[in-house]
């Protein structure tokens, strides 16, 4: 009577010999493999690859007379190949009741099969698992060449393969909830602090009886090396629970202020009506906290060094100006669950007077409109304040309203006569946040003796003509030389009057 197992191993060994593969037979089949197959070293290895090993793998041979294209294998044997650092394969050889193989199929122990094997081994009492194979696994012909080609297709570089398999084995079965921590909170004060930590109001809180668990394939395993009777808990990377729109309403809907906010909620309490339940709402410039049981709202704002679009910053300042005036605002939240009323807010202190800052922003917006700036102009609150003293004058100059301006200058060559008319050609560079505005102008007027001790001449209340307006991003400023070259080209337009090009 033929021994189908021996027959399969005989033919497999013969295919390896055909192509020069070395098939080392296992003397005892207790580790799930029949052969360690080694490829010969290449004679074309360069100095860069001299350290690389020749490919090798482990193979379990299965011979069958059937064509069911599946075979039940013990989970213990599957696990041995799953965790082996080398590439591992099953080769299924079909005979159809003859002594010669008819077809052969090479089934790689790939990541999907490894994960399935380890999960079943960990989470069930199942003793075996049925491996399926199909035409995608079939050798193109029953030769050593076909076998070697199929093996190398899966293995490619042995070093890279074993590295990838090691990393996969270390991480398989874990998910985003890999670590679970259990602890006790003792006392109402510590519980309140935990709520504040979970919504980002406080940095840390005290906890007791800390026990850590690691979850793999859905099963929890206690980490005895990570436990403590007492500890401090902090959340280094707190992500918002949700995003929503918060609405501040005074009277009708026409008086709404609406802002996008990040929402932070301590879901571990499990009940919005819990007496300690709080929620936090964070925008680009303010934070709002709500004690749900008391409907008490806490409100704070801070612009910091962040950049805002001009119109947004104006809107925010108007909001603070309004909400600090003592009137009551109804606060609503509009999220995925619809709209609900959070409570109301009113100021008990003095109005925060941003009227001057709002007017500064109005002027800056009008300046950008003069230059037809289409990109978003972004500015910090501090930058906006630094422009407050200059923006009105700049706007008047750009608008040609120069009756109160005095331009002082010296001349390097030539001679000027007091009382004569002169044309001054100059440029103004003005930066608003992330844009630079360049203005080329002419100023015509009568030459006077300068009151400026550092300058000899001046023109008072000149006639201003804006010759060119240019806006650029701060990342691509215009060189000073190019500005003066452009002014020099304009000098010829004033043949009948002395022309002076203003240089700083």
């Amino acid at each position: 009577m033929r021994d189908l197992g021996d027959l399969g191993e005989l033919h497999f060994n013969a295919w390896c010999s055909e192509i020069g593969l070395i098939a080392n037979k296992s003397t005892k089949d207790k580790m799930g493999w029949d052969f360690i197959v080694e490829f010969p070293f290449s004679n074309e290895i360069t100095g860069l690859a001299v350290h690389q090993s020749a490919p090798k793998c482990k193979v379990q041979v299965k011979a069958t007379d059937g064509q069911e294209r599946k075979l039940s294998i013990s989970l213990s044997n599957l696990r041995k190949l799953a965790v082996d650092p080398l590439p591992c394969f099953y080769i299924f050889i079909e005979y159809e009741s003859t002594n010669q193989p008819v077809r052969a199929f090479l089934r790689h122990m790939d990541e999907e099969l490894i994960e399935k094997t380890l999960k079943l081994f960990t989470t069930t009492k199942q003793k075996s698992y049925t491996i399926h194979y199909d035409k995608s696994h079939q050798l193109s012909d029953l030769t050593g060449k076909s076998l070697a080609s199929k093996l190398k297709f899966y293995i490619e570089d042995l070093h890279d393969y074993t590295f990838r398999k090691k990393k996969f084995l270390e991480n398989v079965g874990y998910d985003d909830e890999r670590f679970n921590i259990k602890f006790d909170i003792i006392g109402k004060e510590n519980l309140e602090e935990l709520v504040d930590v979970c919504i980002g109001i406080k940095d840390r809180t005290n906890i007791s009886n800390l026990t850590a668990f690691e979850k793999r394939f859905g099963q929890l395993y206690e980490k005895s090396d990570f436990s403590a009777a007492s500890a401090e808990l902090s959340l280094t990377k707190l992500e918002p629970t949700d995003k929503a729109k918060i609405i501040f309403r005074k009277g009708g809907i026409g008086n709404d202020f609406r802002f996008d906010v990040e929402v932070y909620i301590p879901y571990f309490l499990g009940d919005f009506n819990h007496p300690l339940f709080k929620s936090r709402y964070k925008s680009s410039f303010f934070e709002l906290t709500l004690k749900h049981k008391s409907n008490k709202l806490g409100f704070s704002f801070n612009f910091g060094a962040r950049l805002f679009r001009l119109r947004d910053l104006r809107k925010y300042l108007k909001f603070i100006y309004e909400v600090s005036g003592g009137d009551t605002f109804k606060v609503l939240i509009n999220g995925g669950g619809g709209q609900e009323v959070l409570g109301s807010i009113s100021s008990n202190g003095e109005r925060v007077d941003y009227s001057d800052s709002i007017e500064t922003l109005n002027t800056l917006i009008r300046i950008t409109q003069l230059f037809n700036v289409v990109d978003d102009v972004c500015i910090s609150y501090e930058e906006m304040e630094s422009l407050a003293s200059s923006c009105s004058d700049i706007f008047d100059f750009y608008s040609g309203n120069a009756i109160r301006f005095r331009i002082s200058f010296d001349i390097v060559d030539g001679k000027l006569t007091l009382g004569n008319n002169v044309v001054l050609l100059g440029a103004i560079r003005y930066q608003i946040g992330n844009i630079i505005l360049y203005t080329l102008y002419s100023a015509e007027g009568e030459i006077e003796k300068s009151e400026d001790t550092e300058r000899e001449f001046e023109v008072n209340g000149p006639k201003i003509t804006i010759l060119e307006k240019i806006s650029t991003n701060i990342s691509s400023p215009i060189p000073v030389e190019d500005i003066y070259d452009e002014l020099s080209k304009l000098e010829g337009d004033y043949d009948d009057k002395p022309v002076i090009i203003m240089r700083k």
Side-chain angles (χ1 to χ4, degrees):
M1 178 180 292
R2 66 181 181 144
D3 187 319
L4 200 56
D6 286 347
L7 203 57
E9 292 183 4
L10 180 65
H11 284 111
F12 176 79
N13 205 354
W15 294 334
C16 290
S17 298
E18 286 179 16
I19 200 70
L21 300 179
I22 302 167
N24 297 297
K25 181 75 174 72
S26 171
T27 56
K28 293 184 179 180
D29 185 7
K30 290 187 177 182
M31 298 304 294
W33 55 271
D34 294 317
F35 293 93
I36 292 180
V37 178
E38 299 181 82
F39 282 73
F41 274 96
S42 170
N43 294 324
E44 300 178 1
I45 293 294
T46 66
L48 294 176
V50 70
H51 65 286
Q52 293 179 349
S53 169
K56 67 172 65 176
C57 60
K58 292 183 176 180
V59 179
Q60 174 76 283
V61 179
K62 298 291 184 183
T64 175
D65 276 328
Q67 297 185 41
E68 294 182 349
R69 307 284 160 83
K70 62 180 181 179
L71 189 67
S72 179
I73 300 176
S74 72
L75 273 177
S76 60
N77 276 352
L78 280 168
R79 177 177 172 269
K80 290 169 184 174
L81 295 188
V83 301
D84 195 293
L86 287 177
C88 295
F89 298 88
Y90 286 92
I91 186 163
F92 300 95
I93 305 174
E94 292 182 352
Y95 283 89
E96 295 187 356
S97 301
T98 68
N99 290 332
Q100 293 300 319
V102 178
R103 286 170 291 274
F105 303 82
L106 190 70
R107 182 71 161 88
H108 179 215
M109 175 63 78
D110 56 17
E111 291 182 355
E112 182 181 359
L113 185 53
I114 290 172
E115 182 171 6
K116 185 70 175 179
T117 298
L118 298 183
K119 183 175 182 179
L120 289 173
F121 194 88
T122 304
T123 61
T124 72
K125 295 182 179 180
Q126 196 170 312
K127 298 298 183 184
S128 62
Y129 176 69
T130 299
I131 293 184
H132 293 260
Y133 52 95
D134 53 42
K135 285 188 176 181
S136 67
H137 307 108
Q138 187 172 349
L139 300 186
S140 57
D141 50 56
L142 301 178
T143 63
K145 182 179 179 181
S146 178
L147 173 63
S149 174
K150 197 78 167 176
L151 289 172
K152 290 196 75 171
F153 170 78
Y154 290 112
I155 300 173
E156 295 184 21
D157 183 277
L158 181 63
H159 178 268
D160 288 346
Y161 184 100
T162 55
F163 177 79
R164 290 195 308 270
K165 186 171 183 180
K166 177 178 180 292
K167 297 299 292 184
F168 179 76
L169 286 170
E170 288 173 352
N171 295 287
V172 66
Y174 296 112
D175 55 27
D176 293 338
E177 298 179 357
R178 175 171 180 169
F179 293 103
N180 286 255
I181 297 176
K182 293 184 179 181
F183 54 87
D184 294 332
I185 294 292
I186 299 175
K188 180 182 176 182
E189 182 180 340
N190 285 334
L191 182 56
E192 287 179 330
E193 283 190 354
L194 179 60
V195 172
D196 290 344
V197 168
C198 289
I199 63 175
I201 296 176
K202 290 189 176 179
D203 294 331
R204 64 195 71 232
T205 186
N206 295 318
I207 58 175
S208 304
N209 303 323
L210 173 68
T211 307
F213 297 86
E214 200 166 9
K215 185 168 72 170
R216 194 172 198 184
F217 297 114
Q219 308 294 307
L220 289 177
Y221 302 93
E222 184 174 346
K223 291 178 66 66
S224 57
D225 58 336
F226 195 82
S227 61
S230 62
E232 279 191 341
L233 175 67
S234 63
L235 301 176
T236 55
K237 188 178 180 182
L238 183 64
E239 298 290 341
T241 310
D242 204 349
K243 294 185 178 182
K245 192 174 290 292
I246 201 164
I247 304 165
F248 296 84
R249 178 170 297 167
K250 182 177 71 172
I253 59 174
N255 295 319
D256 282 359
F257 287 97
R258 297 169 178 259
F259 305 101
D260 293 322
V261 291
E262 295 176 342
V263 183
Y264 297 83
I265 293 174
Y267 273 132
F268 75 91
L269 286 180
D271 183 4
F272 278 64
N273 295 314
H274 191 284
L276 298 181
F277 198 96
K278 284 183 186 176
S279 54
R280 171 174 167 243
Y281 308 88
K282 181 181 178 183
S283 80
S284 59
F285 74 101
F286 74 81
E287 289 193 16
L288 186 72
T289 56
L290 167 64
K291 274 190 173 183
H292 285 230
K293 197 67 176 178
S294 64
N295 250 26
K296 182 180 178 182
L297 291 170
F299 181 78
S300 64
F301 64 91
N302 178 20
F303 292 104
R306 284 165 294 188
L307 298 178
F308 302 92
R309 293 184 298 182
L310 288 176
R311 294 180 185 276
D312 287 345
L313 184 55
R314 181 177 63 177
K315 171 186 172 183
Y316 301 156
L317 295 182
K318 283 182 177 180
F319 164 68
I320 294 172
Y321 178 80
E322 289 287 332
V323 84
S324 65
D327 293 333
T328 299
F329 282 78
K330 183 188 291 185
V331 184
L332 307 95
I333 188 75
N334 196 346
Q339 184 170 289
E340 64 174 289
V341 177
L342 291 180
S344 60
I345 186 172
S346 60
S347 171
N348 296 323
E350 296 181 2
R351 181 191 292 275
V352 182
D353 190 355
Y354 279 128
S355 54
D356 289 343
S357 296
I358 292 169
E359 186 54 40
T360 296
L361 287 163
N362 286 334
T363 303
L364 293 175
I365 290 171
R366 288 196 293 268
I367 291 173
T368 61
Q369 290 170 340
L370 285 176
F371 282 74
N372 296 317
V373 177
V374 295
D375 295 332
D376 287 335
V377 181
C378 296
I379 195 170
S380 70
Y381 180 82
E382 290 81 2
E383 287 177 299
M384 180 273 298
E385 282 195 314
S386 71
L387 298 177
S389 60
S390 64
C391 63
S392 293
D393 289 342
I394 286 290
F395 180 73
D396 285 346
F397 191 89
Y398 289 161
S399 303
N401 181 20
I403 191 67
R404 57 191 175 85
F405 285 94
R406 183 179 77 244
I407 303 177
S408 301
F409 61 93
D410 287 325
I411 61 170
V412 177
D413 296 316
K415 184 177 180 181
L416 293 176
T417 303
L418 295 177
N420 286 353
N421 283 339
V422 69
V423 176
L424 307 177
L425 295 179
I428 296 176
R429 179 188 187 276
Y430 195 66
Q431 182 174 333
I432 304 177
N434 62 322
I435 65 162
I436 304 173
L437 306 176
Y438 297 92
T439 309
L440 276 59
Y441 69 88
S442 68
E444 299 183 44
E446 189 176 288
I447 303 170
E448 299 179 14
K449 190 67 178 177
S450 177
E451 297 177 3
D452 186 348
T453 57
E454 295 183 2
R455 299 285 185 268
E456 185 176 359
F457 303 101
E458 67 182 32
V459 174
N460 279 302
K463 176 187 174 183
I464 299 295
T465 303
I466 302 301
L467 304 174
E468 191 168 358
K469 298 192 294 287
I470 307 167
S471 65
T472 67
N473 192 277
I474 57 173
S475 61
S476 54
I478 300 175
V480 174
E481 295 77 10
D482 292 354
I483 296 291
Y484 289 128
D485 286 347
E486 193 67 25
L487 290 174
S488 298
K489 294 176 184 177
L490 297 171
E491 187 176 3
D493 296 341
Y494 303 91
D495 294 333
D496 56 335
K497 297 178 183 178
V499 176
I500 296 173
I501 296 177
M502 304 288 291
R503 291 177 179 266
K504 287 188 177 181

